[in-house]
């Protein structure tokens, strides 16, 4: 496995993107299926990089674009000074998110080491929302796995349509992981999402993990739930294997 940072252009701006690719010594050879990993609220940090590395160890080219690239200085300053970190909804705008995701997708589609017809997306926390929005906005995704993605019924920034209302544009299978005691998305939210996807005839599978809260996958966070993390990750890998590996 090899990991590195790329710089890609988004509407004339420069965006950093973490990338991790499989190792030939582990028996993998290019071109690889790929997974875009949407960051959580604290950015493309050690947790998100580790997710990319874990996917690369399974044979996927994984990339995580820095969606804060337009406002990273403000976000870093708030964190470094011990103050409250601005909420993702205050930093990000849905049209910008879509532009960033599309730029990362274009990079994958045009890379010789990537199988352009086998690209999925996953995301954690705000990244779960981004993953839903990505699947609804870019038809090249073949599978989507949101982890506890909240705020799906609201717009961010200049967005005009909540991701929830874009569900009909999602045309790839979905696997969604929920924490039982999470408030956003709550179990009521899960039922609304399930009902809408069922109404639209969308291929989806939902899993709820007992006693798990938001951010249950992150070992560095205060809400890490080992049982939920251990149960959900193999399901994610099996799902990607089914839909990206054929």
């Amino acid at each position: 496995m090899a990991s590195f940072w790329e710089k890609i252009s988004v509407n004339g701006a420069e965006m950093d993107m973490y990338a991790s690719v499989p190792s030939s010594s582990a028996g993998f050879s290019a071109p690889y299926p790929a997974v875009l990993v949407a960051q959580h609220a604290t950015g493309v940090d050690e947790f998100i990089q580790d997710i990319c590395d874990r996917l690369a160890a399974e044979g996927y080219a994984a990339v995580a674009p820095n969606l804060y690239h337009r406002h990273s200085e403000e976000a870093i300053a708030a964190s470094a000074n011990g103050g409250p970190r601005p909420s993702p909804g205050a930093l990000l705008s849905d049209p910008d998110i879509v532009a960033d995701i599309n730029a990362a997708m274009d990079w994958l589609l045009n890379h010789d080491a990537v199988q352009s017809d086998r690209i999925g997306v996953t995301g954690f926390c705000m990244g779960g929302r981004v993953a839903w929005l990505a699947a609804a906005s870019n038809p090249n995704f073949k599978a989507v796995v949101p982890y506890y993605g909240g705020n799906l019924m609201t717009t961010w920034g200049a967005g005009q349509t909540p991701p929830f209302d874009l569900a009909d544009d999602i045309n790839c299978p979905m696997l969604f992981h929920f924490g039982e005691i999470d408030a956003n998305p709550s179990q009521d939210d899960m039922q609304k999402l399930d009902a809408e996807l069922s109404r639209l005839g969308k291929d989806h599978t939902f899993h709820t993990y007992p006693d798990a809260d938001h951010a249950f996958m992150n070992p560095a966070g205060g809400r890490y739930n080992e049982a939920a993390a251990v149960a959900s990750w193999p399901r994610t890998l099996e799902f990607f294997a089914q839909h990206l590996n054929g």
Side-chain angles (χ1 to χ4, degrees):
M1 180 195 70
S3 59
F4 51 92
W5 286 89
E6 283 283 331
K7 291 186 180 295
I8 62 177
S9 177
V10 184
N11 296 332
E14 193 173 72
M15 177 173 67
D16 290 326
M17 184 171 71
Y18 182 80
S20 192
V21 296
S23 170
S24 58
S25 63
F28 300 111
S29 59
Y32 314 108
V35 177
L36 189 152
V37 179
Q39 67 180 64
H40 57 174
T42 49
V44 185
D45 58 8
E46 183 176 352
F47 169 68
I48 295 298
Q49 293 175 41
D50 179 64
I51 291 293
C52 289
D53 294 346
R54 291 168 71 179
L55 286 166
E58 298 292 334
Y60 301 95
V63 298
N66 173 24
L67 303 179
Y68 287 158
H69 66 96
R70 296 174 184 83
H71 306 284
S72 58
E73 291 184 5
E74 293 92 331
I76 292 171
S79 177
N81 293 331
R85 178 184 293 272
S87 70
L91 287 171
L92 300 175
S93 180
D94 287 339
D96 290 338
I97 293 172
V98 171
D100 292 346
I101 294 299
N102 288 344
M105 172 60 81
D106 288 344
W107 185 89
L108 289 169
L109 290 174
N110 290 287
H111 201 294
D112 291 341
V114 173
Q115 296 183 29
S116 60
D117 60 343
R118 297 187 178 186
I119 301 175
V121 57
T122 187
F124 302 80
C125 181
M126 62 158 268
R129 180 186 186 278
V130 171
W132 178 296
L133 182 60
S137 304
N138 194 306
N140 292 292
F141 288 112
K142 305 304 182 186
V144 55
V145 183
Y147 271 82
Y148 36 82
N151 299 308
L152 286 166
M153 286 77 165
T154 61
T155 57
W156 284 358
Q160 297 183 343
T161 305
F164 175 80
D165 292 334
L166 298 174
D168 197 29
D169 295 325
I170 298 175
N171 292 307
C172 63
M174 176 185 294
L175 173 66
F176 204 130
H177 300 292
F178 296 85
E180 181 184 38
I181 63 174
D182 193 350
N184 184 21
S186 66
Q187 290 294 283
D188 285 343
D189 293 334
M190 182 192 71
Q191 292 178 13
K192 293 176 183 176
L193 299 176
D194 179 43
E196 180 67 358
L197 293 173
S198 296
R199 181 184 73 83
L200 295 169
K202 301 298 180 179
D203 183 352
H204 67 287
T205 301
F206 286 1
H207 289 290
T208 296
Y209 299 91
D211 301 319
D213 203 343
H214 199 75
F216 66 74
M217 277 290 291
N218 185 6
R223 292 174 288 185
Y224 176 66
N225 184 299
E226 183 178 10
V230 169
S232 65
W233 186 245
R235 286 171 169 165
T236 295
L237 294 179
E238 181 180 359
F239 185 78
F240 280 145
Q242 178 184 355
H243 297 290
L244 302 183
N245 288 336

